[in-house]
Amino acid sequence: MRLGGRLAAAIEILDDIDRRYRPAADALRDWGLSHRFAGSKDRAAIGNIVYDALRRKRSAGWIFQEETPRALAFGALLLQGECTPDMLNAALAEDSFAPPPLSSDEIARIADHPLDAAPDGVRAESPEWCEPLLKRTWGDDWVAEAAALSERPPLDMRTNTLRATRDQVAKALASAGALPCDLAPQGLRVPAIEGQGRHPNVQSEQAFRDGWFEVQDEGSQIVAELTDATSGMQVLDFCAGAGGKSLAMSAAMGNTGQIHAFDADRKRLAPIIDRLKRAGCRNVQAVADEAALAPFEGRLDLVVVDAPCTGAGTWRRRPDAKWRLGEKQLEQRQAEQAEILAKAARFVRPGGRLAYITCSVFAEENEDQVRAFIEANPAFRPVDHEALWERHFPGKAARAKIDRATGIALSPHRTATDGFHFAALERV
């Protein structure tokens, strides 16, 4: 397929997403199943256009003055700097499968609406209702912070030190362009995709099958590091999901102690079994029944709550979720977070620690929840988060947004990671 055919396919998929209000991954998968003639490179290029269109939806809507699937797809190519209107029209003229080229009216609108003249919310690529939330969280930096959530993400991996060293994994993945992460001590990174390329399928490598590494965003690795899970601890991962942080803590603990990986959703927990076997984690026990945790009340050294949240910190990877998110969902997540924190706190022993994590950038899910929990639970007090960060990442305090009392915030703009919030509270 040439560019015109790929662009036409992207428009079709964006229309499907809009009409059926469905996740982009589902729409792309279904398109691929019904167009089996498209090769893997074509599918990757089409996916890039679709995801770029969703990441830059407001910018594309601004330069075209409309948010149709056509405007978003064309806008994705123009805003990524891959071509000019004239170059794009020249390429489409040679392709019988291409959509109609840019009209003189569209070209005029693009010229009359440069992005540097757009309102802040457009340059931030933010849903309008989220603008006050982002302003509250990031202050004067909110546009740059929000815009960074619309960039293409890298591919990050965490070395499983139970099986290999980072140098060994880097050597095994040298052909993929993997280099050490800037902050995470066991992290490796393949840079973000350029043009219409695609990330290497690192999970097909023998090193992955041998359990040498896991695919995990550097931000997720950093917050797992900040939990301070150490040898011999008794740990509860209260919202374990597929187990990414449980596996990271297991390696940090050297397969000693015990990690109880619990999730109320059995389907989310299911993948952890195969991951534990591959990684060689012997100190992690998957728990699907909350009643089975009763004997551990007041007895555990560390309880980690990777809370359900809006996922606003993952918008680089899931840009479609940004446009499906609404205020009611935020309110629902806040209620769930408060309830889960109250439940999880019961298991922390005196002198133990409760770690609260979200992949959100909204203060309503982060600092507000920490303050409310401390107010309702005077037996808990925050650790000194500035000292915690400095101990793990000395000399790099400027990289994160740190509040001594309410926690540590990561973001694509500051730490070049997904957006995360981490807070640690000690039971007095």
Side-chain angles (χ1 to χ4, degrees):
M1 296 174 72
R2 290 186 286 182
L3 177 60
R6 291 171 172 177
L7 187 57
I11 293 170
E12 180 183 340
I13 294 164
L14 287 165
D15 179 65
D16 181 32
I17 293 169
D18 183 56
R19 282 186 300 101
R20 299 173 64 184
Y21 203 64
R22 64 197 306 235
D26 292 351
L28 283 161
R29 183 197 62 232
D30 289 351
W31 186 91
L33 290 173
S34 61
H35 296 78
R36 295 184 182 275
F37 61 85
S40 58
K41 290 183 178 179
D42 291 323
R43 292 195 300 273
I46 293 164
N48 286 340
I49 297 172
V50 169
Y51 277 103
D52 286 339
L54 294 167
R55 291 185 185 105
R56 309 298 301 275
K57 182 177 180 178
R58 286 198 70 183
S59 291
W62 167 260
I63 63 174
F64 278 93
Q65 291 295 288
E66 61 182 12
E67 290 186 354
T68 62
R70 172 184 167 86
L72 300 186
F74 274 78
L77 293 174
L78 296 173
L79 291 166
Q80 282 297 119
E82 296 179 18
C83 54
T84 65
D86 287 344
M87 291 168 58
L88 188 51
N89 275 355
L92 299 184
E94 301 173 357
D95 191 343
S96 60
F97 295 99
L102 292 165
S103 66
S104 57
D105 177 61
E106 287 173 320
I107 292 173
R109 274 184 271 154
I110 294 168
D112 291 342
H113 296 89
L115 198 55
D116 56 11
D120 285 349
V122 170
R123 291 185 293 111
E125 305 291 355
S126 166
E128 288 186 44
W129 74 272
C130 291
E131 291 177 28
L133 308 183
L134 294 164
K135 290 177 185 177
R136 183 186 170 211
T137 297
W138 298 111
D140 293 341
D141 292 337
W142 80 275
V143 173
E145 289 283 357
L149 285 164
S150 296
E151 297 171 354
R152 289 182 176 182
L155 172 63
D156 293 344
M157 293 145 287
R158 177 187 57 81
T159 302
N160 175 24
T161 53
L162 299 175
R163 299 283 202 198
T165 66
R166 183 161 73 168
D167 286 345
Q168 286 177 306
V169 179
K171 185 176 180 180
L173 297 179
S175 61
L179 296 171
C181 286
D182 186 34
L183 290 171
Q186 300 301 334
L188 291 162
R189 167 167 291 185
V190 176
I193 296 166
E194 294 184 0
Q196 294 307 311
R198 55 180 174 169
H199 275 137
N201 181 14
V202 294
Q203 290 177 315
S204 67
E205 298 285 341
Q206 186 63 44
F208 177 78
R209 294 194 293 271
D210 289 342
W212 284 19
F213 68 89
E214 292 286 335
V215 175
Q216 185 177 22
D217 178 76
E218 186 182 10
S220 182
Q221 297 179 49
I222 289 170
V223 295
E225 178 84 5
L226 291 170
T227 64
D228 272 345
T230 55
S231 299
M233 275 188 169
Q234 292 294 309
V235 178
L236 170 60
D237 188 353
F238 195 70
C239 303
K245 294 178 183 64
S246 286
L247 269 69
M249 291 189 292
S250 174
M253 293 163 64
N255 247 342
T256 66
Q258 184 71 41
I259 299 172
H260 308 278
F262 167 77
D263 200 286
D265 186 339
R266 292 172 181 265
K267 290 182 179 179
R268 291 189 68 225
L269 190 63
I272 196 174
I273 304 302
D274 288 340
R275 297 181 75 183
L276 292 173
K277 290 179 181 177
R278 185 176 64 247
C281 297
R282 300 187 302 274
N283 64 339
V284 182
Q285 178 181 353
V287 182
D289 182 5
E290 188 172 350
L293 299 175
F296 304 112
E297 288 192 22
R299 297 179 58 187
L300 299 179
D301 302 304
L302 172 65
V303 176
V304 177
V305 176
D306 189 2
C309 66
T310 57
T314 66
W315 281 349
R316 296 187 303 174
R317 303 180 191 280
R318 300 175 61 239
D320 50 318
K322 178 194 307 189
W323 309 109
R324 293 197 305 272
L325 184 63
E327 293 181 73
K328 286 186 177 180
Q329 290 164 290
L330 173 58
E331 293 172 1
Q332 181 182 352
R333 292 292 178 262
Q334 288 175 276
E336 291 172 349
Q337 289 154 6
E339 180 183 358
I340 288 170
L341 268 172
K343 285 184 177 182
R346 296 175 299 152
F347 300 99
V348 183
R349 66 167 176 80
R353 184 172 291 189
L354 175 66
Y356 176 67
I357 300 167
T358 76
C359 54
S360 173
V361 295
F362 297 146
E364 288 76 4
E365 299 183 271
N366 300 328
E367 294 93 336
D368 287 1
Q369 293 286 17
V370 174
R371 292 191 190 98
F373 177 82
I374 293 172
E375 184 176 345
N377 298 271
F380 286 84
R381 64 186 178 192
V383 305
D384 183 338
H385 289 96
E386 290 179 355
L388 176 65
W389 179 268
E390 183 63 22
R391 182 155 50 83
H392 285 276
F393 308 105
K396 296 184 178 180
R399 294 292 304 278
K401 178 187 174 187
I402 306 173
D403 184 283
R404 183 170 291 176
T406 59
I408 299 166
L410 313 178
S411 69
H413 185 57
R414 296 195 179 213
T415 50
T417 67
D418 283 353
F420 279 91
H421 189 88
F422 176 90
L425 309 169
E426 289 181 338
R427 183 174 179 182
V428 180

